[in-house]
């Protein structure tokens, strides 16, 4: 909830408008997926110890989430952007009228790192 709320404020600052979809949408600053995964790993590390099997599993999960958020999902967003451009080019020639694909799917490295630190801070604060 905290990460999604921050996304709304960042969106308002960048776009100079409010869009409710920022509360429930994917992509943007910070990564709420990474925030949740790093918060979980930190909370488990604080509770069971950072040398425990529990923490190792949670940290592994967090790393997979970070890799996916920055790598696979970002590449999907780039492909969507290119496909939307192709669709627009075809549309203006009168051949096709399709719905646009969502381009804001993945995260930049800065969004992932910010989400990681936000998750750690939330876990430390909640403790």
């Amino acid at each position: 909830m905290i990460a999604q709320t921050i996304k709304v404020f960042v969106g308002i600052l960048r776009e100079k408008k409010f869009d409710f979809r920022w509360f429930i949408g994917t992509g943007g600053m910070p990564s709420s997926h990474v925030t949740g995964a790093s918060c979980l790993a930190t909370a488990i590390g604080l509770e069971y110890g950072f040398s425990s099997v529990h923490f190792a599993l949670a940290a592994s999960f967090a790393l997979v989430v970070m890799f996916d958020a920055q790598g696979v999902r970002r590449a999907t967003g780039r492909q969507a952007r290119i496909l939307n451009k192709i669709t627009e080019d075809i549309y203006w020639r009168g051949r096709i009228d399709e719905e646009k694909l969502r381009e804001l799917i993945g995260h930049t490295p800065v969004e992932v790192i910010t989400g990681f630190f936000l998750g750690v801070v939330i876990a430390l604060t909640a403790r």
Side-chain angles (χ1 to χ4, degrees), residues 36-107:
S38 64
C39 183
L40 173 69
T42 303
I44 287 175
L46 291 169
E47 183 68 26
Y48 296 101
F50 290 96
S51 61
S52 69
V53 173
H54 300 90
F55 174 72
L57 290 170
S60 297
F61 170 73
L63 288 172
V64 168
V65 170
M66 287 184 240
F67 175 79
D68 180 64
Q70 197 276 321
V72 177
R73 293 176 71 230
R74 188 164 181 222
T76 303
R78 285 183 183 155
Q79 291 173 355
R81 193 173 308 113
I82 292 167
L83 288 171
N84 283 337
K85 176 66 175 139
I86 292 169
T87 302
E88 285 177 15
D89 290 346
I90 292 172
Y91 172 76
W92 288 112
R93 290 187 211 144
R95 293 185 191 158
I96 192 170
D97 184 11
E98 295 290 328
E99 184 178 332
K100 284 190 156 199
L101 299 170
R102 295 195 55 208
E103 295 178 13
L104 190 58
I105 295 174
H107 295 282

Side-chain angles (χ1 to χ4, degrees), residues 13-27:
L13 291 174
R14 282 188 183 159
E15 304 290 327
K16 307 289 188 238
K17 66 176 184 172
F18 173 80
D19 189 343
F20 182 76
R21 290 177 292 184
W22 291 328
F23 274 117
I24 57 175
T26 60

